[in-house]
Amino acid sequence: MTTLLEHSRIALSSLRANWFRAALTALGVVIGVASLVAVTAVSAGAQKEVADSIRRLGGNIVNVDGEFITIGTRQSASDRTITPEDVAAISQLPTVTAVSPHQSIESITVAAGRNQANTWLEGVTSAYSDVQNQQAARGRLITDADVSFGRSVMVVGLDAQDRLFPGQSAIGKTVRVGSREFEVVGVQARRGSLADENLDNRIFIPLPILTRVMLGGSNIVHVDLRVESEGDIEPTIGAIEDLLREQHKLPESYPDDFSAEDQATIVKEAQRATSTFRVLTFSLGGIALLVGGIGIMNMMLVSVHERFREIGIRKSVGATPWKVQMQFLIEALFLSVLGGAAGVLAGLGATRLISTFAGWETLVSGLSLVLAFSVSFAVGIFFGYYPARRAARLDPIAALRYE
Amino acid sequence: MSYDAGPGVIELADVTKVFRSGEVSVEALRGVSFAVEAKEFVAIMGPSGSGKTTLLGILGCLDRPTSGSYRLVGQEMSTLDETKRARIRGQRIGFVFQAYNLIPRTTAYKNVELPLVYAGVPGGERRGRVLQALASVGLAERVGHLPNQLSGGEQQRVGIARALVVEPSVILADEPTGNLDSASAEEVLSILGRLNEEGATIVMVTHSSEVAEHASRIVRFADGLVVADERTQRSIVAEPLGAVG
Ligand SMILES: Nc1ncnc2c1ncn2[C@@H]1O[C@H](COP(=O)(O)OP(=O)(O)OP(=O)(O)O)[C@@H](O)[C@H]1O
Ligand SMILES: [Mg+2]
């Protein structure tokens, strides 16, 4: 133990003698560890966001999409394949507790006075609020009466409201969509975003107005439905597939002209795109660490070379190969661990910047810091081993003769 | 200071050393046998290239003989591995080098302390021993100096303090005065002489017969062999000595 302390002192003093070189050498480890910390925080934040989204959007939701009819090998984007009869049949399924048919126009410019905004227009029924966990911040949501009487009413998201009526409440005001005018009856409570989709930049109108009046026809693309429990999801998906194939009279050899999926799965899939970016940053952090490690190895090799004679002297006064190895290994460890500590701090700073400026949710866990720090430790051991071994194996006579 | 050594400190029997580099091989030692008793002060002389430094390397367990036997205080050294030899170096041998070989940017105190650190002497005990060793070479005032703040003679005295601090069985000095002016050389030699009188066993390589006169015995080398082994004036004064083998 005395010698460990002793070696630490020796290592520190030799690093201090070359502090600038040491700092440059440790920079690679600093960058590597910092990016590991930041990426882990962003990653954990994103994961938390997924969990939050799923919770916010409501659990036990199945999304049915009917967008394409595929015949043979040809796939054509056809009009909506889900009929009102399909919706009625789905709501008859025993496991289904709520059905929300809806139809969207994903990008449309709407106007309020002189203000224009590009938003996402969604035609919904009263079930939408239940299935999608939608709430009113002010006013009310789309009701059964709105749907059956075909009222020209609208519920707007908070961001849509900001853009159409900056600084004002939208309630009671008029929004023009194409040639139609809608009266805003409610403002949707904040829902956040789902993957990259801002759920607060949406506007909602009764479904029949969108389908019959604006798009024509009564078929739709989306049906979201809630089931009793998580265990019902798979059987319900199976039942819907059978049901819709039968309803659509699809021959045995034809593929489905719809899809039915667990919403939680879809949310996770959506996050996968951003996780590619994270994997990339993570690998860059790894590469920085590798380069940092090689830098440490290089500096240690130079240091061993410069100190051939010193090593010879140490051996002549009783340093065993093991003790020489420890001395240089500890020196490498100091470098990488100091770099790792600085990297953890820099990583925390970077995480702060990311959440402030990019607005991403981040989550720093103690475990990730410990992990990043351990990585720097491992880098020190790994890349310090070879130079230390070289020092340990030096022939004392040759080392003492070295000029 | 006590020097732990029985009568037969060094026993060499038919030691050879061959350096091989590629095709060429050099026979630096060609069958050297001699013994050093405790409390002897032996000077080794001989022309350049006769194998003196090679011999000292073997005596100091820095190197192993190609053949033959080397016993240090009764223990065979020629078969030990590097780790065991390192421990022997740290505990039984004190080196004094021509080029002082102090560790740069490290105080006199730290330099002298180093062998004790490697020998695992507890920190509390070290301080007293280091200060005593430095005092015994007249450098009590220079404890915190760095090597480049010391004269050559002072550096060599630090080197001697470092050699004697572990109370070794033998002090091995390779031309300890080779880099020094005559005044500093005289000082270093008188310190070695005094240590010897206090009981230290010393083997010293030198080119100078004047320097060798400080020893009690001169072993002459030529071409890797011992060619003469004689006592000096000083040995007659510096009795008692055991029989010389
Ligand atoms: N590592 C080595 N490799 C090859 N030859 C060596 C090596 N070390 C010493 N020699 C050779 O061994 C012989 C003896 O060398 P050594 O250094 O022992 O001589 P020396 O008596 O100390 O000489 P000097 O008085 O000049 O210091 C020389 O011929 C030298 O060239
Ligand atoms: Mg020599």
Side-chain angles (χ1 to χ4, degrees), chain A residues 2-3 6-7 9-10 17-18 309-310 313-321 323 327 395-397 400-401, chain B residues 53 57 62-63 82-83 86-87 89-90 95 97 99 101-103 105 110 113-115 117-118 123 126 162:
Chain A
T2 352
T3 47
E6 223 48 72
H7 286 318
R9 276 205 206 116
I10 292 165
N18 292 303
R309 187 180 269 266
E310 177 191 323
I313 297 168
R314 288 178 182 282
K315 291 189 162 207
S316 77
V317 298
T320 58
K323 284 177 178 169
Q327 179 195 328
D395 170 27
I397 292 248
L400 279 169
R401 278 216 180 129
Chain B
T53 297
L62 290 167
D63 210 350
E82 168 58 20
T83 296
R87 295 214 179 96
R89 289 198 292 269
F95 287 98
F97 301 96
N101 278 346
L102 301 182
I103 294 182
R105 294 185 299 274
K110 284 278 173 195
E113 189 189 29
L114 205 57
V117 172
Y118 285 122
R126 278 187 237 152
R162 179 179 64 189

Side-chain angles (χ1 to χ4, degrees), chain A residues 42-107:
Chain A
V42 168
S43 207
Q47 246 159 32
K48 182 167 166 287
E49 213 170 70
V50 171
D52 285 352
S53 298
I54 292 171
R55 195 159 33 77
R56 211 167 45 222
L57 294 172
N60 307 333
I61 304 288
V62 173
N63 298 143
V64 180
D65 284 356
E67 214 160 354
F68 295 105
I69 299 180
T70 307
I71 297 166
T73 54
R74 282 185 304 122
Q75 185 180 64
S76 62
S78 95
D79 268 310
R80 309 147 268 157
T81 62
I82 311 282
T83 66
E85 292 73 33
D86 294 340
V87 176
I90 288 170
S91 48
Q92 294 305 310
L93 290 171
T95 48
V96 173
T97 59
V99 179
S100 161
H102 60 104
Q103 177 63 47
S104 52
I105 296 175
E106 299 188 358
S107 173

Side-chain angles (χ1 to χ4, degrees), chain B residues 77-142:
Chain B
M77 295 288 119
S78 59
T79 51
L80 296 183
D81 66 21
E82 168 58 20
T83 296
K84 291 203 177 98
R85 278 185 288 139
R87 295 214 179 96
I88 297 281
R89 289 198 292 269
Q91 289 157 21
R92 294 209 168 277
I93 291 166
F95 287 98
V96 179
F97 301 96
Q98 177 172 358
Y100 327 131
N101 278 346
L102 301 182
I103 294 182
R105 294 185 299 274
T106 304
T107 61
Y109 181 92
K110 284 278 173 195
N111 264 290
V112 175
E113 189 189 29
L114 205 57
L116 299 179
V117 172
Y118 285 122
V121 174
E125 191 189 326
R126 278 187 237 152
R127 188 167 175 79
R129 289 177 66 174
V130 171
L131 294 178
Q132 195 193 340
L134 278 166
S136 80
V137 297
L139 288 179
E141 313 290 300
R142 298 281 196 279

Side-chain angles (χ1 to χ4, degrees), chain A residues 401, chain B residues 48-49 51-54 98 174-175 205 207:
Chain A
R401 278 216 180 129
Chain B
S48 188
K52 307 181 294 295
T53 297
T54 304
Q98 177 172 358
D174 195 348
E175 303 195 36
V205 167
H207 274 118

Side-chain angles (χ1 to χ4, degrees), chain A residues 325-342:
Chain A
Q325 181 152 350
M326 284 306 287
Q327 179 195 328
F328 283 91
L329 203 55
I330 287 173
E331 201 172 311
L333 267 182
F334 257 120
L335 262 184
S336 64
V337 163
L338 289 180

Side-chain angles (χ1 to χ4, degrees), chain A residues 205-275:
Chain A
I205 59 174
L207 177 62
I209 299 185
L210 182 62
T211 50
R212 300 222 180 89
V213 181
M214 299 176 71
L215 296 174
S218 56
N219 284 9
I220 53 167
V221 174
H222 302 290
V223 181
D224 296 343
L225 50 101
R226 183 191 295 282
V227 294
E228 201 79 61
S229 68
E230 203 182 330
D232 289 334
I233 291 175
E234 280 305 313
T236 307
I237 288 174
I240 288 173
E241 282 169 354
D242 292 345
L243 180 74
L244 290 184
R245 286 191 70 86
E246 201 189 303
Q247 293 268 110
H248 294 177
K249 302 194 168 54
L250 294 178
E252 199 61 40
S253 60
Y254 276 43
D256 294 344
D257 60 354
F258 59 87
S259 69
E261 281 182 278
D262 177 8
Q263 178 165 272
T265 318
I266 297 172
V267 172
K268 284 175 196 151
E269 295 275 318
Q271 287 290 0
R272 198 157 292 162
T274 51
S275 67

